[in-house]
């Protein structure tokens, strides 16, 4: 099981990263603004549930590396740290111009939009790479059963994404207007997330 410190540190980081303007949450906002709450919520929930597939891949990948050798697992964590630091640097340098995409004029029912969000997230290789790099950073080797820890972390990420993406879909109209009036809001969120990425990455690179 996860320790309280382990769980809340991961949860706080996951929430900030989920709120940082990116393709998924901008698409949720766009669908909600142009198609209404129900469709925005449905698309957001689909994106969130897509995280479960990446959690499964992360568990399998971590399990395979642990079975191969502790050195391989350490290599994964260091490479993941470098990847997160690289993402953080680019996030800090980003202009943070969050934009809504309103070209999706399809009047698909909520169920269809749910599956579209699910598939779009599940087949995104960048999300898979992110999970494989991000989740191991919070594994505490001394507590054993890294596979269970990875699964619980992935489930935690999915659950908070369900809540936040659902809220984004529900309040999409108001949030879209707020972002339109504050074009630099995304820049500060990117900087905060980028700082966390770099800190996580450096911690893993220098850790024994």
């Amino acid at each position: 099981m996860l320790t309280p410190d382990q769980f809340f540190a991961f949860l706080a980081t996951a929430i900030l990263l989920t709120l940082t303007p990116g393709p998924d949450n901008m698409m949720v906002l766009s669908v909600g603004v142009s198609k209404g709450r129900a469709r925005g919520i449905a698309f957001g929930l689909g994106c969130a549930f897509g995280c479960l597939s990446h959690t499964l891949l992360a568990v399998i990948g971590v399990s395979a590396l642990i079975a191969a050798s502790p050195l391989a697992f350490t290599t994964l964590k260091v490479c993941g740290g470098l990847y997160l630091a690289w993402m953080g640097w680019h996030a800090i340098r980003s202009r943070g111009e969050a934009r809504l995409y309103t070209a999706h004029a399809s009047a698909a029912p909520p169920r269809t939009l749910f599956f579209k969000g699910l598939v779009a997230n599940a087949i995104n290789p960048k999300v898979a790479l992110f999970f494989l790099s991000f989740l191991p950073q919070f594994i505490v080797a001394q507590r054993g059963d890294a596979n269970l820890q990875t699964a619980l972390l992935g489930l935690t990420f999915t659950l908070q994404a369900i809540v936040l993406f659902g809220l984004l879909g529900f309040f999409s109209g108001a949030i879209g207007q707020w972002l339109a009036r504050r074009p630099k809001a995304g820049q500060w969120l990117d900087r905060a997330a980028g700082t966390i990425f770099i800190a996580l990455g450096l911690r893993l690179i220098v850790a024994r």
Side-chain angles (χ1 to χ4, degrees):
M1 299 299 291
L2 304 178
T3 66
D5 289 344
Q6 183 184 15
F7 171 78
F8 286 111
F10 177 81
L11 180 62
T13 305
I15 289 173
L16 178 58
L17 299 182
T18 301
L19 291 176
T20 301
D24 282 350
N25 47 32
M26 288 296 101
M27 281 297 299
V28 173
L29 283 174
S30 297
V31 172
V33 168
S34 60
K35 308 292 172 249
R37 284 179 176 173
R39 289 175 173 81
I41 292 172
F43 187 84
L45 293 181
C47 290
F49 275 101
C51 295
L52 292 176
S53 64
H54 300 299
T55 298
L56 177 60
L57 290 176
V59 170
I60 294 172
V62 169
S63 176
L65 285 175
I66 291 176
S69 72
L71 177 60
F73 182 59
T74 300
T75 301
L76 168 66
K77 298 185 76 174
V78 172
C79 290
L82 291 171
Y83 175 68
L84 291 176
W86 178 82
M87 287 181 62
W89 172 245
H90 280 271
I92 289 175
R93 294 183 62 194
S94 169
R95 296 176 63 184
E97 294 179 345
R99 297 177 180 176
L100 297 181
Y101 305 93
T102 56
H104 301 272
S106 152
R111 181 175 62 180
T112 300
L113 285 168
F114 172 85
F115 284 108
K116 282 186 176 181
L118 178 67
V119 172
N121 186 286
I123 66 174
N124 189 336
K126 291 184 178 180
V127 180
L129 181 59
F130 169 75
F131 265 63
L132 194 59
S133 303
F134 182 59
L135 298 186
Q137 315 307 319
F138 290 87
I139 293 175
V140 179
Q142 293 81 358
R143 295 191 59 80
D145 204 341
N147 292 337
L148 177 59
Q149 292 185 59
T150 303
L152 291 174
L153 291 171
L155 181 60
T156 299
F157 192 97
T158 301
L159 291 175
Q160 64 85 31
I162 288 172
V163 173
L164 293 181
F165 280 179
L167 290 173
L168 280 175
F170 187 84
F171 295 106
S172 53
I175 294 174
Q177 293 174 7
W178 186 87
L179 285 174
R181 293 194 302 267
R182 297 168 177 82
K184 290 190 176 181
Q187 183 177 9
W188 291 105
L189 286 172
D190 278 343
R191 287 175 177 175
T195 301
I196 289 178
F197 273 139
I198 291 175
L200 287 173
L202 293 179
R203 186 190 71 175
L204 265 296
I205 292 170
V206 302
R208 295 181 180 180

